[in-house]
Short mmCIF file of all heavy atoms in Angstrom, two decimals:
data_model
loop_
_atom_site.label_atom_id
_atom_site.label_comp_id
_atom_site.label_asym_id
_atom_site.label_seq_id
_atom_site.Cartn_x
_atom_site.Cartn_y
_atom_site.Cartn_z
N SER A 840 -3.30 -19.80 -12.88
CA SER A 840 -4.36 -19.02 -12.13
C SER A 840 -5.64 -19.87 -12.18
O SER A 840 -6.25 -20.05 -11.13
CB SER A 840 -4.66 -17.71 -12.74
OG SER A 840 -3.53 -16.87 -12.77
N LEU A 841 -5.99 -20.41 -13.28
CA LEU A 841 -7.22 -21.14 -13.52
C LEU A 841 -7.13 -22.46 -12.64
O LEU A 841 -8.08 -22.79 -12.00
CB LEU A 841 -7.37 -21.51 -14.96
CG LEU A 841 -8.72 -22.29 -15.33
CD1 LEU A 841 -9.94 -21.51 -14.84
CD2 LEU A 841 -8.83 -22.50 -16.80
N ALA A 842 -5.99 -23.16 -12.72
CA ALA A 842 -5.92 -24.43 -11.85
C ALA A 842 -5.98 -24.08 -10.42
O ALA A 842 -6.63 -24.85 -9.72
CB ALA A 842 -4.60 -25.10 -12.19
N THR A 843 -5.44 -23.03 -9.98
CA THR A 843 -5.49 -22.63 -8.48
C THR A 843 -6.80 -22.22 -8.09
O THR A 843 -7.32 -22.65 -7.07
CB THR A 843 -4.43 -21.59 -8.22
OG1 THR A 843 -3.12 -21.96 -8.57
CG2 THR A 843 -4.50 -21.23 -6.77
N LEU A 844 -7.41 -21.42 -8.87
CA LEU A 844 -8.85 -20.97 -8.58
C LEU A 844 -9.81 -22.13 -8.51
O LEU A 844 -10.72 -22.15 -7.72
CB LEU A 844 -9.28 -19.88 -9.56
CG LEU A 844 -8.57 -18.51 -9.41
CD1 LEU A 844 -8.88 -17.60 -10.58
CD2 LEU A 844 -8.87 -17.94 -8.12
N ARG A 845 -9.71 -23.11 -9.41
CA ARG A 845 -10.62 -24.29 -9.41
C ARG A 845 -10.44 -25.07 -8.08
O ARG A 845 -11.47 -25.44 -7.41
CB ARG A 845 -10.30 -25.13 -10.53
CG ARG A 845 -10.88 -24.64 -11.91
CD ARG A 845 -10.32 -25.50 -13.08
NE ARG A 845 -11.05 -25.28 -14.31
CZ ARG A 845 -10.69 -25.58 -15.47
NH1 ARG A 845 -9.50 -26.28 -15.64
NH2 ARG A 845 -11.43 -25.37 -16.54
N ARG A 846 -9.12 -25.17 -7.64
CA ARG A 846 -8.91 -25.78 -6.35
C ARG A 846 -9.59 -25.10 -5.11
O ARG A 846 -10.10 -25.67 -4.22
CB ARG A 846 -7.49 -26.02 -6.07
CG ARG A 846 -6.80 -26.98 -7.07
CD ARG A 846 -7.44 -28.33 -7.07
NE ARG A 846 -6.97 -29.17 -5.94
CZ ARG A 846 -7.51 -30.23 -5.44
NH1 ARG A 846 -8.71 -30.57 -5.90
NH2 ARG A 846 -7.01 -30.87 -4.47
N TRP A 847 -9.50 -23.74 -5.21
CA TRP A 847 -10.02 -22.92 -4.13
C TRP A 847 -11.51 -23.13 -4.15
O TRP A 847 -12.16 -23.24 -3.15
CB TRP A 847 -9.77 -21.46 -4.23
CG TRP A 847 -8.46 -21.06 -3.83
CD1 TRP A 847 -7.47 -20.37 -4.45
CD2 TRP A 847 -7.79 -21.29 -2.48
NE1 TRP A 847 -6.31 -20.22 -3.76
CE2 TRP A 847 -6.38 -20.75 -2.55
CE3 TRP A 847 -8.18 -21.92 -1.29
CZ2 TRP A 847 -5.58 -20.77 -1.44
CZ3 TRP A 847 -7.24 -21.97 -0.32
CH2 TRP A 847 -5.97 -21.44 -0.37
N ILE A 848 -12.19 -23.16 -5.30
CA ILE A 848 -13.59 -23.33 -5.32
C ILE A 848 -13.96 -24.75 -4.83
O ILE A 848 -14.97 -24.96 -4.24
CB ILE A 848 -14.02 -23.16 -6.79
CG1 ILE A 848 -13.97 -21.69 -7.17
CG2 ILE A 848 -15.63 -23.61 -6.95
CD1 ILE A 848 -14.32 -21.43 -8.70
N ASP A 849 -13.11 -25.77 -5.17
CA ASP A 849 -13.33 -27.09 -4.67
C ASP A 849 -13.40 -27.15 -3.17
O ASP A 849 -14.03 -27.83 -2.52
CB ASP A 849 -12.31 -28.18 -5.21
CG ASP A 849 -12.48 -28.25 -6.76
OD1 ASP A 849 -13.61 -28.01 -7.25
OD2 ASP A 849 -11.50 -28.74 -7.35
N VAL A 850 -12.43 -26.36 -2.62
CA VAL A 850 -12.32 -26.38 -1.06
C VAL A 850 -13.54 -25.83 -0.47
O VAL A 850 -14.12 -26.40 0.50
CB VAL A 850 -11.03 -25.63 -0.60
CG1 VAL A 850 -11.01 -25.53 0.92
CG2 VAL A 850 -9.76 -26.40 -1.09
N HIS A 851 -13.95 -24.70 -0.96
CA HIS A 851 -15.03 -23.90 -0.28
C HIS A 851 -16.43 -24.31 -0.70
O HIS A 851 -17.38 -24.15 0.10
CB HIS A 851 -14.89 -22.37 -0.57
CG HIS A 851 -13.64 -21.80 0.14
ND1 HIS A 851 -13.52 -21.45 1.43
CD2 HIS A 851 -12.43 -21.31 -0.42
CE1 HIS A 851 -12.42 -20.90 1.60
NE2 HIS A 851 -11.74 -20.80 0.54
N GLN A 852 -16.60 -24.78 -1.90
CA GLN A 852 -17.91 -25.20 -2.41
C GLN A 852 -18.97 -24.13 -2.04
O GLN A 852 -19.93 -24.40 -1.48
CB GLN A 852 -18.38 -26.57 -1.86
CG GLN A 852 -17.41 -27.65 -2.27
CD GLN A 852 -17.80 -29.03 -1.65
OE1 GLN A 852 -18.97 -29.27 -1.67
NE2 GLN A 852 -16.84 -29.73 -1.16
N PRO A 853 -18.75 -22.87 -2.45
CA PRO A 853 -19.58 -21.72 -2.07
C PRO A 853 -20.99 -21.81 -2.71
O PRO A 853 -20.99 -21.96 -3.97
CB PRO A 853 -18.76 -20.44 -2.42
CG PRO A 853 -18.02 -20.95 -3.70
CD PRO A 853 -17.65 -22.42 -3.43
N PRO A 854 -21.98 -21.43 -2.06
CA PRO A 854 -23.23 -21.27 -2.65
C PRO A 854 -23.25 -20.04 -3.55
O PRO A 854 -23.99 -20.06 -4.62
CB PRO A 854 -24.23 -21.05 -1.55
CG PRO A 854 -23.59 -21.63 -0.31
CD PRO A 854 -22.13 -21.44 -0.59
N ILE A 855 -22.37 -19.05 -3.25
CA ILE A 855 -22.43 -17.79 -4.09
C ILE A 855 -20.99 -17.52 -4.52
O ILE A 855 -20.06 -17.61 -3.66
CB ILE A 855 -22.86 -16.50 -3.27
CG1 ILE A 855 -24.31 -16.81 -2.80
CG2 ILE A 855 -22.91 -15.31 -4.16
CD1 ILE A 855 -24.76 -15.82 -1.73
N LEU A 856 -20.79 -17.22 -5.77
CA LEU A 856 -19.40 -16.99 -6.28
C LEU A 856 -19.52 -15.69 -6.95
O LEU A 856 -20.27 -15.31 -7.83
CB LEU A 856 -19.02 -17.96 -7.29
CG LEU A 856 -17.63 -17.81 -7.97
CD1 LEU A 856 -16.52 -17.84 -7.02
CD2 LEU A 856 -17.33 -18.76 -9.09
N ALA A 857 -18.55 -14.72 -6.51
CA ALA A 857 -18.45 -13.31 -7.07
C ALA A 857 -17.10 -13.17 -7.75
O ALA A 857 -16.06 -13.42 -7.11
CB ALA A 857 -18.59 -12.35 -5.97
N LEU A 858 -17.21 -12.95 -9.03
CA LEU A 858 -16.01 -12.89 -9.92
C LEU A 858 -15.78 -11.40 -10.28
O LEU A 858 -16.68 -10.72 -10.71
CB LEU A 858 -16.15 -13.74 -11.17
CG LEU A 858 -16.35 -15.24 -10.92
CD1 LEU A 858 -16.66 -15.94 -12.23
CD2 LEU A 858 -15.07 -15.84 -10.17
N SER A 859 -14.47 -10.96 -10.33
CA SER A 859 -14.04 -9.65 -10.84
C SER A 859 -14.14 -9.69 -12.36
O SER A 859 -13.67 -10.59 -12.95
CB SER A 859 -12.65 -9.35 -10.47
OG SER A 859 -12.22 -8.24 -11.10
N ASP A 860 -14.65 -8.56 -12.86
CA ASP A 860 -14.81 -8.41 -14.29
C ASP A 860 -13.39 -8.18 -14.92
O ASP A 860 -13.25 -8.33 -16.13
CB ASP A 860 -15.67 -7.27 -14.70
CG ASP A 860 -15.05 -5.92 -14.51
OD1 ASP A 860 -14.29 -5.76 -13.56
OD2 ASP A 860 -15.34 -4.99 -15.36
N ALA A 861 -12.44 -7.96 -14.14
CA ALA A 861 -11.03 -7.71 -14.59
C ALA A 861 -10.32 -9.07 -14.94
O ALA A 861 -9.21 -9.00 -15.46
CB ALA A 861 -10.23 -6.89 -13.67
N LEU A 862 -10.96 -10.19 -14.46
CA LEU A 862 -10.37 -11.46 -14.86
C LEU A 862 -10.45 -11.71 -16.34
O LEU A 862 -11.35 -11.26 -16.93
CB LEU A 862 -11.12 -12.55 -14.07
CG LEU A 862 -10.85 -12.58 -12.58
CD1 LEU A 862 -11.86 -13.58 -11.93
CD2 LEU A 862 -9.38 -13.03 -12.24
N PRO A 863 -9.56 -12.49 -16.95
CA PRO A 863 -9.70 -12.82 -18.35
C PRO A 863 -11.14 -13.48 -18.68
O PRO A 863 -11.50 -14.18 -17.84
CB PRO A 863 -8.45 -13.75 -18.61
CG PRO A 863 -7.48 -13.45 -17.54
CD PRO A 863 -8.23 -13.04 -16.37
N VAL A 864 -11.58 -13.28 -19.78
CA VAL A 864 -12.93 -13.82 -20.16
C VAL A 864 -12.95 -15.33 -20.16
O VAL A 864 -13.81 -15.89 -19.59
CB VAL A 864 -13.22 -13.27 -21.61
CG1 VAL A 864 -14.58 -13.97 -22.04
CG2 VAL A 864 -13.42 -11.81 -21.62
N GLU A 865 -11.78 -15.92 -20.65
CA GLU A 865 -11.80 -17.34 -20.66
C GLU A 865 -11.74 -17.95 -19.18
O GLU A 865 -12.31 -18.97 -18.94
CB GLU A 865 -10.43 -17.93 -21.38
CG GLU A 865 -10.44 -17.52 -22.87
CD GLU A 865 -9.99 -16.10 -23.10
OE1 GLU A 865 -9.78 -15.30 -22.13
OE2 GLU A 865 -10.03 -15.62 -24.19
N THR A 866 -11.06 -17.19 -18.28
CA THR A 866 -10.92 -17.64 -16.87
C THR A 866 -12.39 -17.58 -16.31
O THR A 866 -12.75 -18.50 -15.57
CB THR A 866 -9.95 -16.73 -16.13
OG1 THR A 866 -8.66 -17.00 -16.72
CG2 THR A 866 -9.96 -17.26 -14.59
N LYS A 867 -13.03 -16.45 -16.52
CA LYS A 867 -14.36 -16.31 -15.91
C LYS A 867 -15.37 -17.38 -16.43
O LYS A 867 -16.19 -17.95 -15.63
CB LYS A 867 -14.93 -14.84 -16.16
CG LYS A 867 -14.28 -13.74 -15.43
CD LYS A 867 -14.94 -12.42 -15.71
CE LYS A 867 -14.69 -11.89 -17.10
NZ LYS A 867 -15.13 -10.51 -17.33
N THR A 868 -15.32 -17.65 -17.69
CA THR A 868 -16.16 -18.70 -18.24
C THR A 868 -15.86 -20.08 -17.64
O THR A 868 -16.80 -20.78 -17.18
CB THR A 868 -16.07 -18.74 -19.69
OG1 THR A 868 -16.35 -17.47 -20.23
CG2 THR A 868 -16.91 -19.82 -20.36
N ALA A 869 -14.59 -20.39 -17.52
CA ALA A 869 -14.14 -21.68 -16.97
C ALA A 869 -14.59 -21.87 -15.55
O ALA A 869 -15.05 -22.92 -15.03
CB ALA A 869 -12.70 -21.91 -17.15
N LEU A 870 -14.45 -20.78 -14.74
CA LEU A 870 -14.69 -20.74 -13.30
C LEU A 870 -16.23 -20.87 -13.15
O LEU A 870 -16.72 -21.56 -12.22
CB LEU A 870 -14.11 -19.59 -12.65
CG LEU A 870 -12.67 -19.42 -12.50
CD1 LEU A 870 -12.23 -18.13 -11.82
CD2 LEU A 870 -12.07 -20.58 -11.74
N LEU A 871 -17.01 -20.25 -13.95
CA LEU A 871 -18.51 -20.33 -13.86
C LEU A 871 -18.91 -21.83 -14.08
O LEU A 871 -19.70 -22.34 -13.28
CB LEU A 871 -19.15 -19.35 -14.91
CG LEU A 871 -20.68 -19.28 -14.78
CD1 LEU A 871 -21.07 -17.83 -15.25
CD2 LEU A 871 -21.27 -20.26 -15.72
N GLN A 872 -18.42 -22.43 -15.08
CA GLN A 872 -18.80 -23.81 -15.42
C GLN A 872 -18.39 -24.71 -14.32
O GLN A 872 -19.19 -25.63 -13.98
CB GLN A 872 -18.19 -24.13 -16.72
CG GLN A 872 -18.70 -23.32 -17.96
CD GLN A 872 -18.04 -23.74 -19.17
OE1 GLN A 872 -16.93 -24.31 -19.17
NE2 GLN A 872 -18.55 -23.25 -20.36
#
Side-chain angles (χ1 to χ4, degrees):
S840 297
L841 182 57
T843 301
L844 289 172
R845 281 173 170 164
R846 293 301 279 162
W847 283 126
I848 293 174
D849 291 340
V850 172
H851 293 287
Q852 300 179 40
I855 306 168
L856 177 63
L858 300 174
S859 169
D860 76 325
L862 292 168
V864 174
E865 297 80 3
T866 299
K867 290 185 289 188
T868 301
L870 292 179
L871 185 151
Q872 295 172 348

